Amino acid sequence: MCRRASKMAGSSIRKSCLPKIKSSRKMPKSAGLVDISDCPPPWRSWPETNAVISALQDEGGVVRFVGGCVRDALLGIASEDIDIATDLLPGAVMQGLERAGIEALPTGLDHGTITAVCGKRHFEITTLRVDLVGHGRHADIAFTHDWEVDAERRDFTFNALYLDPTGELIDPVGGLADLKARHVRFIGNADDRIREDRLRVLRYFRFFARFGDDNPDAAALKACAKAAGDLGALSVERVQKEILLLLATETPLAALELMKETGVLEAITGVPVNLSRIASLLSLPVESDALLRFAALLHCDKDEVSRLSAKLRFSNKHKERLTHMCGKNISREMDERDQAIALYWLGKQTFADQAILLWAELTPECDFRQYLDRAERWQRPPFPVTGRDLLTHGVAEGAALGQLLNDMEIRWVESSFRLTKEELLREFLPDA
């Protein structure tokens, strides 16, 4: 293995994030909903929440929590992103917050959104609105006092649940029943909701992966399939975010299968996708993250992984890790010495990534837990020779010194890290 490449592989894992054995704990999708009137979510009692609500009410506004924070509270899921809807106009929202000494940021002023910063908490506050003309991500809008109209312009029924500060739940579009049934359903006509924002196709599958049961919505799937050919016009950064969020869900396989059936997955990847490798990966008794799953989705084809991660504008850090995990430096029958050498050149993260992907390729029956345990315990031994040592022994600065140091390190690793500095110097510089 190339020393330069190996150092790159090891450099991105200063903090180990090696996979753990899977826990058996899993919230059943059929579990009932939380009674949030008796058991309000933790964020409801934050002092910052009360300060923001009081500031808006003192300005004369009706205020309700909405969207993901309400949905997640009903499911018993902790949430830090708190969205608030109000009938106050944006100017009045800013005025009320500023009067209360709360910082008000006009993060989406044209669309009625103000971010309140109270202590370390952020609250996104949006004026009730109706979308007039859609433009992909944004739309021409008008402000309204009609809560039902505001609900109808949202995406999915369970994202249009409102919670009054008194604890009353308002459900204008049937989201509560859908959430209880784990049914992901567009509000109104699915074609219309997707036409307003094509990204909702990917959001449908992500929400199905998180919350859906074995009951995909037929109208939603038909609309998603119809829109698959238009997904190329989406911002690649938004597509990347949705794909990684979907892959990071606990059980993404059913959603990926639906994406394949509707043509959405091929529209995103640009190639026909076989889901057997990712299915095998997900069946392993170890955890895997979104990047491992992304590589498995493309069968660890280094060229395809590199192409798609570049197309979707992954971060350099993510692209580097993906490149190394597809390097195929790990084999099935490596003894402890070979594993130690591979760990030295690759680093813990790349070694573990490659071992897991090979495990998925060779089916779950080929247990690689010993490889992963070794990686978890691995402590990289320090190479005993430095450039200063070579200078002291008369080696001139320059490329020759670097090459000599590289050759000595390779020899030391091949000795299973046993050769001492003195032995290496005698072997490589016998006349010094």
Side-chain angles (χ1 to χ4, degrees):
M1 296 173 215
C2 169
R3 178 172 182 254
R4 180 178 298 173
S6 67
K7 286 194 170 183
M8 287 174 62
S11 65
S12 62
I13 55 159
R14 299 186 187 279
K15 292 185 178 179
S16 175
C17 51
L18 300 187
K20 308 297 181 185
I21 299 299
K22 279 181 180 173
S23 167
S24 60
R25 179 182 63 82
K26 181 180 177 182
M27 183 184 78
K29 287 186 175 180
S30 59
L33 302 181
V34 173
D35 184 348
I36 56 178
S37 60
D38 288 339
C39 301
W43 49 261
R44 184 61 195 89
S45 59
W46 293 345
E48 298 89 345
T49 304
N50 294 326
V52 170
I53 295 299
S54 295
L56 299 176
Q57 290 177 333
D58 289 347
E59 199 63 26
V62 177
V63 183
R64 293 171 181 168
F65 304 100
V66 67
C69 63
V70 180
R71 177 200 67 220
D72 289 354
L74 288 163
L75 292 170
I77 299 172
S79 181
E80 293 289 323
D81 298 324
I82 311 304
D83 290 344
I84 297 171
T86 180
D87 60 354
L88 288 173
L89 291 174
V93 171
M94 294 194 70
Q95 179 175 279
L97 293 172
E98 289 167 355
R99 282 179 176 173
I102 298 171
E103 185 178 6
L105 304 177
T107 46
L109 192 58
D110 290 344
H111 294 86
T113 301
I114 308 297
T115 299
V117 181
C118 189
K120 294 182 179 180
R121 310 284 188 189
H122 290 65
F123 302 81
E124 191 166 280
I125 304 162
T126 302
T127 300
L128 302 182
R129 72 190 197 206
V130 57
D131 294 342
L132 301 177
V133 180
H135 302 293
R137 184 175 184 181
H138 297 299
D140 295 337
I141 60 108
F143 298 122
T144 180
H145 290 274
D146 190 326
W147 289 86
E148 288 193 12
V149 168
D150 182 77
E152 288 167 358
R153 60 97 186 164
R154 296 177 183 271
D155 51 9
F156 304 104
T157 57
F158 53 45
N159 287 340
L161 291 164
Y162 300 83
L163 180 66
D164 186 271
T166 64
E168 179 188 2
L169 190 68
I170 297 95
D171 179 15
V173 293
L176 192 61
D178 285 336
L179 188 62
K180 188 171 184 178
R182 299 300 193 265
H183 187 59
V184 186
R185 182 168 64 89
F186 282 102
I187 294 170
N189 184 282
D191 289 315
D192 291 342
R193 298 291 80 75
I194 289 173
R195 195 175 298 114
E196 291 162 356
D197 185 355
R198 303 290 183 190
L199 192 72
R200 286 173 172 171
V201 170
L202 300 185
R203 285 172 61 81
Y204 173 80
F205 294 108
R206 173 162 67 87
F207 282 125
F208 183 84
R210 283 194 70 192
F211 307 119
D213 213 335
D214 298 324
N215 57 346
D217 187 84
L221 292 182
K222 184 177 179 180
C224 289
K226 189 186 301 184
D230 299 323
L231 299 181
L234 287 171
S235 156
V236 292
E237 289 86 358
R238 298 179 76 204
V239 173
Q240 175 221 112
K241 180 180 178 182
E242 287 297 326
I243 290 297
L244 291 181
L245 285 171
L246 188 156
L247 289 173
T249 59
E250 187 174 10
T251 53
L253 187 58
L256 292 170
E257 288 171 344
L258 291 174
M259 291 175 73
K260 180 177 172 63
E261 291 172 14
T262 55
V264 170
L265 193 56
E266 184 170 333
I268 295 302
T269 62
V271 293
V273 174
N274 183 325
L275 297 177
S276 60
R277 181 77 63 86
I278 193 168
S280 180
L281 173 67
L282 293 167
S283 72
L284 297 180
V286 292
E287 295 177 358
S288 55
D289 63 13
L291 291 186
L292 276 166
R293 295 170 180 187
F294 181 82
L297 184 67
L298 299 174
H299 277 240
C300 304
D301 183 312
K302 194 170 185 178
D303 291 338
E304 284 299 330
V305 169
S306 178
R307 176 194 63 81
L308 189 55
S309 61
K311 175 186 174 182
L312 297 180
R313 298 183 187 173
F314 279 41
S315 69
N316 289 336
K317 182 178 180 180
H318 284 173
K319 286 190 287 188
E320 182 181 342
R321 183 178 164 208
L322 285 164
T323 297
H324 292 311
M325 72 170 62
C326 295
K328 300 185 178 180
N329 307 107
I330 302 297
S331 60
R332 181 177 177 179
E333 301 296 341
M334 297 176 76
D335 59 23
E336 288 190 6
R337 175 182 178 277
D338 289 339
Q339 289 179 46
I341 291 173
L343 274 163
Y344 182 83
W345 292 124
L346 296 175
K348 287 185 177 185
Q349 185 71 74
T350 299
F351 181 92
D353 286 344
Q354 290 194 18
I356 291 171
L357 291 172
L358 180 61
W359 192 355
E361 178 185 357
L362 297 176
T363 75
E365 287 70 32
C366 303
D367 199 324
F368 278 76
R369 272 178 283 203
Q370 185 260 349
Y371 282 53
L372 301 179
D373 290 343
R374 188 175 185 86
E376 185 65 40
R377 299 191 307 269
W378 172 255
Q379 296 294 324
R380 194 174 196 268
F383 178 47
V385 182
T386 66
R388 184 178 297 276
D389 293 325
L390 299 186
L391 291 171
T392 301
H393 284 76
V395 179
E397 290 188 19
L401 184 147
Q403 183 60 53
L404 178 58
L405 199 62
N406 185 63
D407 293 343
M408 295 174 79
E409 186 173 12
I410 292 171
R411 175 72 179 94
W412 172 71
V413 171
E414 291 300 320
S415 77
S416 296
F417 317 105
R418 291 194 182 95
L419 291 175
T420 65
K421 178 196 296 188
E422 291 71 22
E423 289 171 331
L424 287 166
L425 290 171
R426 281 199 300 271
E427 180 176 336
F428 281 85
L429 298 172
D431 299 325

